[in-house]
Amino acid sequence: MADFDLVVRGGKVVTGADIFTADIGIVEGRIVALGYGFQGREVIEAEGKLVIPGGVDSHCHIEQLEADGSIHEETFGTAGISALAGGTTTVIPFAPQFKGEPISAHLGDYQARAAKSPVDYAFHQIITDPTAEVVDTEIPALVEAGIKSLKVFLTYDPLHIDDRQFLRVLETAKQHGMTVCVHCENYEAIRWRSEALLAEGRTEPASHALSRPKVVEREATYRAIALAELVGQPLHIFHVSCAEVADEIARAQRRGVKVTAETCPQYLVLTAADMDRPNREGAKFMCSPSPREVGDAEGLWAAIRAGTLDIISSDHCGYSFGGTRGKWLNGADANFPNIPNGIPGLAARMAIIFSEGVVKGRIDLNDFVKLTALNPAKRFGLYPRKGTIAPGADADIVIWDAEKHVTLTNSLMQHTIDYTPYEGLDVTGWPVATIARGRIVMRNGKVTVQAGDGAFLKI
């Protein structure tokens, strides 16, 4: 007689703290037991493979409305398939707000879009206009609805907020026990640099890196931390690109400031030189902050090992290179400030981290689980439901072949974007099966899901 709906049998289970061989018993989408000799109505053999928690990608842009009326090409449907193909079972995208409008102007529409997701999801709420109505009424309503993290931009037209507005967001978040996440780059410094480059005729994608050097990220990071320290509000720094910025965060952490931070795979394997390609193909590698120079990645790995950076997210923000919806939304001859920033990375994230981190000896297996699943789940209120393999947790499980060699191609990504910036990158380690809340949703690269299979995770 079967004791479980599904059994994952004989794999090497890896959590953020332990490594052990066991069977995993699953009933009604939850892990209910770890042990040996389990019987189930369905069994997936995992002997010789790693068994890890499903990835939690806490920073990805999916089907997001922009102020100009455009909508990101990556839908919740295609993003979910891509995530599951790469071993990620939970995503946290961004609900928009635009200046002059309340949060409620677009939140309902975004919730309706997300309801079609085949993968579990929570939300960050972008704040661009913290008016009295937003602060006094709408943010408390967000908390009641289960949305407890706010995202602010210190750069970008038309998203950026000034220091006074940032203080208002920090103060409000403190009152309601929310997390504040911040994109740290100096708005005016980038405008000043960009204007000078354009005056010199430097319009090409390669000038993107020149317009926003390390110092503009470092200054904004210091300023954001200082203002959060003034208010006494915990802060989370998104997409740290270099050791110089990580050093600012580490200094604050040593002072006892409650600041955490993450980086992304693009800063570990890409460089600014990738944007200097013929036929404007450098646009494929444009993201903000910019990828840095050869050698900078080692400084990030040192910050990861030190715990200064304790999450690696994808910052998936896909814009196709072909057509007119993506990189050339503002025209085929757009100057670099008018080329949409962002690169796709949902499916590639975990494989790159494993290959560059575990296989190359920079981190261990427990660190890998912490960086990709446990820490983001804890940071954003999803633990212990997500991010671990333990009785009571959702049965979000990935069977991982630690020895499988794969050359990354766009077809493997299974997203809607027409390229991957990681094309041709060789990795060791690849997911061979993904289980989401007890359902086998991917085997050997084939994803089988339906719209709406995912659930909203109220925090």
Side-chain angles (χ1 to χ4, degrees):
M1 179 177 177
D3 298 313
F4 304 100
D5 298 335
L6 175 65
V7 169
V8 180
R9 179 180 290 159
K12 182 183 287 187
V13 178
V14 183
T15 69
D18 299 302
I19 302 175
F20 53 90
T21 299
D23 297 347
I24 302 172
I26 299 164
V27 175
E28 295 183 352
R30 294 287 182 99
I31 297 169
V32 297
L34 302 173
Y36 301 96
F38 288 175
Q39 300 299 316
R41 283 187 284 276
E42 189 172 12
V43 175
I44 183 167
E45 298 290 348
E47 186 175 354
K49 304 293 190 296
L50 302 179
V51 179
I52 62 175
V56 178
D57 195 338
S58 55
H59 184 178
C60 43
H61 301 268
I62 300 170
E63 206 166 337
Q64 185 177 313
L65 177 67
E66 297 289 351
D68 61 7
S70 64
I71 299 176
H72 288 213
E73 295 170 81
E74 199 73 79
T75 67
F76 276 93
T78 57
I81 290 170
S82 184
L84 295 169
T88 290
T89 53
T90 301
V91 296
I92 311 182
F94 298 86
Q97 186 217 5
F98 304 121
K99 295 184 187 298
E101 296 182 350
I103 290 171
S104 57
H106 302 290
L107 180 58
D109 172 71
Y110 201 64
Q111 289 170 320
R113 293 175 184 275
K116 300 175 183 177
S117 175
V119 65
D120 287 0
Y121 61 95
F123 288 142
H124 302 297
Q125 176 64 56
I126 294 172
I127 301 293
T128 66
D129 198 358
T131 63
E133 173 68 15
V134 167
V135 166
D136 295 338
T137 303
E138 292 203 299
I139 287 180
L142 286 177
V143 175
E144 183 66 24
I147 302 170
K148 296 192 69 176
S149 53
L150 305 175
K151 164 73 176 291
V152 298
F153 292 84
L154 301 187
T155 190
Y156 277 140
D157 282 321
L159 300 173
H160 82 282
I161 61 175
D162 62 28
D163 288 352
R164 182 62 178 266
Q165 292 173 314
F166 185 36
L167 285 165
R168 192 176 303 146
V169 172
L170 290 167
E171 185 178 30
T172 303
K174 183 179 180 180
Q175 291 171 356
H176 297 287
M178 305 181 81
T179 300
V180 175
C181 307
V182 59
H183 177 131
C184 291
E185 290 183 290
N186 185 298
Y187 173 68
E188 293 295 349
I190 292 170
R191 292 179 69 199
W192 175 73
R193 288 284 293 151
S194 297
E195 289 168 2
L197 288 162
L198 292 174
E200 296 171 6
R202 300 293 304 274
T203 64
E204 72 287 352
S207 291
H208 176 72
L210 301 176
S211 73
R212 52 214 318 132
K214 294 176 184 179
V215 65
V216 305
E217 184 186 355
R218 179 166 57 83
E219 182 279 332
T221 301
Y222 170 80
R223 178 162 41 95
I225 292 170
L227 295 178
E229 185 177 7
L230 175 65
V231 174
Q233 163 63 27
L235 193 68
H236 184 72
I237 310 293
F238 276 151
H239 44 47
V240 172
S241 73
C242 58
E244 289 84 345
V245 172
D247 287 344
E248 292 290 347
I249 296 163
R251 287 200 307 126
Q253 290 171 339
R254 288 193 294 270
R255 291 199 310 274
V257 180
K258 293 181 179 179
V259 56
T260 56
E262 66 187 53
T263 190
C264 309
Q266 49 266 43
Y267 305 115
L268 302 174
V269 296
L270 302 178
T271 70
D274 287 305
M275 286 179 280
D276 190 15
R277 298 194 180 200
N279 303 317
R280 312 199 81 196
E281 287 213 15
K284 293 179 177 180
F285 304 90
M286 289 178 65
C287 58
S288 293
S290 168
R292 302 305 181 185
E293 304 303 320
V294 173
D296 277 324
E298 287 307 321
L300 289 175
W301 282 114
I304 290 166
R305 287 190 294 273
T308 304
L309 309 176
D310 65 354
I311 292 173
I312 304 180
S313 65
S314 72
D315 192 9
H316 176 91
C317 186
Y319 294 95
S320 287
F321 187 72
T324 58
R325 285 190 64 191
K327 291 293 184 179
W328 312 118
L329 178 68
N330 296 313
D333 58 350
N335 295 334
F336 73 87
N338 295 320
I339 299 173
N341 282 204
I343 60 175
L346 273 170
R349 178 182 72 116
M350 292 181 67
I352 291 174
I353 299 165
F354 187 89
S355 188
E356 293 293 314
V358 177
V359 175
K360 294 187 178 181
R362 294 176 170 121
I363 58 173
D364 63 24
L365 284 170
N366 302 119
D367 292 330
F368 173 64
V369 168
K370 290 176 187 176
L371 291 162
T372 60
L374 179 62
N375 290 349
K378 285 185 172 181
R379 183 73 28 80
F380 296 106
L382 300 175
Y383 178 84
R385 182 176 178 182
K386 304 292 185 182
T388 192
I389 294 176
D394 281 354
D396 294 347
I397 297 168
V398 179
I399 314 302
W400 191 273
D401 187 338
E403 299 179 354
K404 187 176 178 65
H405 299 285
V406 174
T407 299
L408 300 187
T409 63
N410 195 49
S411 62
L412 284 176
M413 302 298 100
Q414 300 193 47
H415 53 214
T416 199
I417 310 305
D418 64 2
Y419 78 97
T420 172
Y422 308 116
E423 187 79 34
L425 180 67
D426 292 323
V427 297
T428 299
W430 193 254
V432 294
T434 303
I435 299 166
R437 280 188 288 112
R439 296 170 291 116
I440 302 172
V441 293
M442 187 276 285
R443 280 189 194 245
N444 298 317
K446 184 176 181 180
V447 179
T448 307
V449 289
Q450 299 293 324
D453 281 350
F456 172 63
L457 304 170
K458 185 175 180 179
I459 297 171

